[in-house]
């Protein structure tokens, strides 16, 4: 009977499909494929949920729904036994509440995974940043040590090759570096010990809180989630405000730099103008001094000019006879000058002859003085 009923249902469905037109069949195929994709997504979600849950939780969670669905199936069997199996095979599934619960749990788990991945990524980034900062600090220390070594040791060794002082300086430098490293190692060890003690205290406090029953319940956890969301919104708002303030500070800094450049240009221009003004003042003072000197010279020249004009106005031309007499006196004086110049030349010539004769006498007297001691010795 069941096989006959199923065959009759299939024939009825085939007849209904045959009666449909091509656009209706295409729409029906699209609806069926869409429903099939939704069922695939729901099936995958249910499989994930089923694999994560324990068997006891799964039975306790689905038992009321299965019981209700069995009652519904019993009622449908009493009504129509011929179509019960096909209807049960076709329509038994999850309710809307169960699907919503599964979707909500999957969404929560996805959010938790995202948060966990985000936290892990942030920790990894922080670790890498710490490693990079440590590498930068180490590189800076190495560069500083290299510069100090080149400055203190290499230059000394290059100046004093083969000397004992250079080798002693190298050994002293290495000993100082070793002492410095030992002190740093001891300092880091003490810091590590203090951090370990602090970690133990915090772990002990956490354990005591858990033993005293201060663990968070589900309601507290939800409340904390709500507060965390509120705080995150406030943090985002503060971050936006901070970004806006940073942009404002950047613009202000750019404006300040532009005004600083303008101030520097104005200061340089003012310095140039002050220098030019001082040079102009010096030139003006020099011109004033020269003007005073020129005025004085002009006054002197005017006085001399007045005197010359006065002399010119007072000058009277002498008579002709007086001029002739003065001219004759000048000619006599010139002749006397020539006569005396000739006498002077004659006197100089005689003086030179007298000097030559005197030199000869002196030479002869010296020779005579040299010969007289030689004769006395003989």
């Amino acid at each position: 009977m069941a096989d006959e009923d199923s065959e009759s249902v299939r024939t009825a469905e085939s007849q209904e499909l045959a009666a449909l037109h091509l656009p209706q069949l295409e729409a029906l195929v699209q609806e069926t494929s869409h429903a099939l994709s939704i069922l695939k997504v729901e099936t995958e979600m249910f499989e994930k949920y089923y694999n994560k849950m324990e068997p006891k939780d799964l039975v306790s969670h689905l038992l009321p729904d299965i019981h209700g669905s069995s009652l519904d199936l019993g009622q449908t069997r009493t009504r129509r036994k011929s179509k019960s199996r096909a209807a049960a095979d076709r329509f038994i599934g999850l309710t809307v509440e169960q699907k919503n619960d599964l979707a909500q749990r999957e969404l929560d788990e996805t959010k938790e995974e995202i948060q966990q991945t985000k936290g892990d990524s942030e920790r990894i980034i922080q670790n890498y940043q710490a490693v990079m900062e440590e590498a930068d600090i180490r590189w800076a220390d190495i560069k500083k040590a290299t510069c100090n070594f080149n400055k203190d040791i290499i230059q000394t060794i290059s100046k004093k090759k083969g000397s004992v002082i250079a080798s002693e300086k190298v050994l002293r430098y290495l000993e100082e570096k070793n002492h410095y490293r030992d002190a740093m190692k001891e300092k880091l060890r003490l810091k590590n010990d203090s951090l370990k003690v602090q970690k133990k205290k915090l772990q002990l406090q956490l354990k005591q809180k858990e033993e005293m029953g201060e663990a968070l319940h589900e309601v507290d956890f939800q409340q904390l989630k709500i507060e965390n969301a509120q705080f995150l919104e406030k943090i985002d708002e503060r971050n936006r405000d901070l970004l806006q303030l940073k942009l404002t500070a950047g613009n202000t800094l750019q404006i300040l730099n532009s005004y600083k450049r303008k101030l520097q240009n104005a200061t340089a221009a003012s310095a140039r103008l002050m220098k030019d003004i001082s040079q102009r003042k010096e030139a003006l003072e020099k011109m004033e001094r020269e003007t005073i000197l020129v005025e004085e010279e002009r006054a002197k020249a005017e006085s001399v000019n007045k005197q010359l004009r006065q002399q010119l106005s007072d000058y009277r031309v002498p008579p002709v006879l007086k001029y002739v007499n003065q001219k004759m006196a000048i000619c006599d004086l010139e002749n006397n000058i020539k006569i005396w110049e000739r006498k002077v030349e004659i006197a100089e010539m005689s003086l030179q002859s007298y000097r030559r004769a005197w030199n000869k006498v002196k030479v002869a007297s010296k020779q005579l003085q040299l010969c007289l001691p030689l004769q006395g010795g003989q």
Side-chain angles (χ1 to χ4, degrees):
M1 291 293 293
D3 296 334
E4 291 177 358
D5 293 335
S6 62
E7 288 178 358
S8 62
V9 171
R10 289 175 184 174
T11 54
E13 290 179 352
S14 62
Q15 290 176 359
E16 291 177 357
L17 292 174
L20 296 174
H21 298 287
L22 184 59
Q24 294 177 354
L25 289 173
E26 289 178 354
L28 183 61
V29 169
Q30 289 179 359
E31 290 177 359
T32 308
S33 61
H34 182 65
L36 183 61
S37 62
I38 293 172
L39 289 173
K40 282 183 179 179
V41 174
E42 291 179 356
T43 305
E44 290 176 357
M45 191 182 297
F46 180 71
E47 286 179 354
K48 290 181 182 179
Y49 181 73
Y50 180 78
N51 292 325
K52 290 178 182 179
M53 288 185 65
E54 294 181 357
K56 293 180 180 180
D57 297 334
L58 185 62
V59 172
S60 62
H61 183 70
L62 295 178
L63 187 58
D65 297 327
I66 293 171
H67 182 67
S69 63
S70 64
L71 291 175
D72 294 335
L73 286 172
Q75 292 176 0
T76 54
R77 283 176 184 175
T78 57
R79 293 177 181 176
R80 295 181 65 181
K81 291 182 180 180
S82 61
K83 297 182 180 180
S84 61
R85 293 181 181 177
D89 293 334
R90 188 180 300 174
F91 296 106
I92 289 177
L94 297 176
T95 60
V96 178
E97 289 80 6
Q98 291 175 348
K99 291 180 181 179
N100 191 10
D101 190 11
L102 289 176
Q104 187 64 35
R105 292 197 179 189
E106 187 69 22
L107 181 62
D108 293 337
E109 290 177 358
T110 306
K111 287 182 179 179
E112 289 178 359
E113 289 178 358
I114 291 170
Q115 291 294 330
Q116 186 176 1
T117 306
K118 187 177 179 181
D120 295 337
S121 302
E122 289 178 354
R123 283 194 295 273
I124 292 169
I125 291 170
Q126 288 176 0
N127 291 329
Y128 284 149
Q129 288 178 353
V131 172
M132 290 174 66
E133 289 177 359
E134 184 179 0
D136 292 335
I137 293 169
R138 181 62 179 166
W139 177 244
D141 293 337
I142 291 170
K143 286 176 71 177
K144 186 177 179 181
T146 306
C147 293
N148 293 329
F149 185 78
N150 290 327
K151 183 179 179 181
D152 297 335
I153 306 300
I154 300 297
Q155 293 179 1
T156 305
I157 292 174
S158 62
K159 290 179 182 178
K160 300 178 181 179
K161 293 183 178 179
S163 62
V164 181
I165 298 172
S167 60
E168 290 179 353
K169 198 167 185 179
V170 172
L171 292 174
R172 194 181 306 111
Y173 179 80
L174 294 175
E175 287 177 356
E176 289 177 356
K177 286 293 179 183
N178 289 327
H179 288 308
Y180 175 74
R181 288 181 180 177
D182 292 336
M184 184 61 69
K185 183 173 68 175
E186 185 66 22
K187 184 178 179 181
L188 291 174
R189 188 184 64 79
L190 294 172
K191 188 175 180 180
N192 192 12
D193 293 336
S194 64
L195 290 174
K196 284 181 179 179
V197 172
Q198 188 177 1
K199 182 181 177 182
K200 288 181 180 179
K201 287 181 180 179
L202 292 173
Q203 287 178 352
L204 184 60
Q205 290 178 2
L206 183 61
K207 188 175 180 181
Q208 289 177 356
K209 286 183 179 180
E210 289 179 354
E211 290 177 354
M212 291 173 65
E214 293 183 0
L216 294 174
H217 299 288
E218 185 68 22
V219 179
D220 297 332
F221 187 70
Q222 294 295 330
Q223 184 67 26
L224 287 175
K225 275 188 176 180
I226 295 169
E227 292 179 356
N228 190 15
Q230 293 175 356
F231 286 130
L232 287 175
E233 290 179 357
K234 290 181 180 179
I235 289 169
D236 292 334
E237 186 178 357
R238 294 294 185 274
N239 287 329
R240 287 193 295 271
D241 294 338
L242 180 61
L243 182 60
Q244 186 66 31
L245 290 174
K246 283 183 178 179
L247 292 173
T248 306
N251 296 326
T252 306
L253 186 61
Q254 290 179 358
I255 295 169
L256 180 62
N257 291 328
S258 66
Y259 280 124
K260 281 184 178 179
R261 287 193 294 271
K262 290 180 180 178
L263 180 61
Q264 289 177 357
N265 295 328
T267 305
S270 176
R272 288 195 299 271
L273 290 174
M274 292 297 291
K275 187 176 180 180
D276 193 7
I277 290 169
S278 63
Q279 291 177 356
R280 297 279 181 88
K281 283 183 177 180
E282 290 177 357
L284 183 61
E285 290 176 357
K286 186 176 179 181
M287 290 175 67
E288 288 178 354
R289 289 194 297 270
E290 290 177 355
T291 304
I292 292 169
L293 293 174
V294 168
E295 288 291 335
E296 291 177 355
E297 291 177 356
R298 185 180 66 80
K300 290 179 181 179
E302 285 182 353
S303 63
V304 171
N305 191 12
K306 286 181 180 180
Q307 292 176 1
L308 291 174
R309 285 179 181 276
Q310 185 67 32
Q311 290 178 2
L312 184 62
S313 61
D314 295 338
Y315 180 71
R316 295 288 181 272
V317 179
V320 178
L321 183 61
K322 187 177 180 180
Y323 176 73
V324 172
N325 293 326
Q326 287 180 356
K327 193 71 175 175
M328 290 175 66
I330 290 169
C331 290
D332 294 335
L333 289 174
E334 288 178 352
N335 292 325
N336 292 326
I337 289 169
K338 290 180 179 178
I339 292 167
W340 281 105
E341 287 178 351
R342 183 64 181 166
K343 288 180 179 180
V344 169
E345 290 178 354
I346 294 168
E348 287 179 352
M349 292 174 65
S350 62
L351 178 61
Q352 289 179 358
S353 62
Y354 289 151
R355 283 180 179 176
R356 284 195 294 271
W358 176 251
N359 290 329
K360 289 179 181 179
V361 171
K362 285 174 72 177
V363 170
S365 64
K366 286 181 180 180
Q367 291 178 354
L368 183 62
Q369 289 177 0
L370 291 172
C371 292
L372 289 175
L374 293 174
Q375 290 177 2
Q378 291 178 358

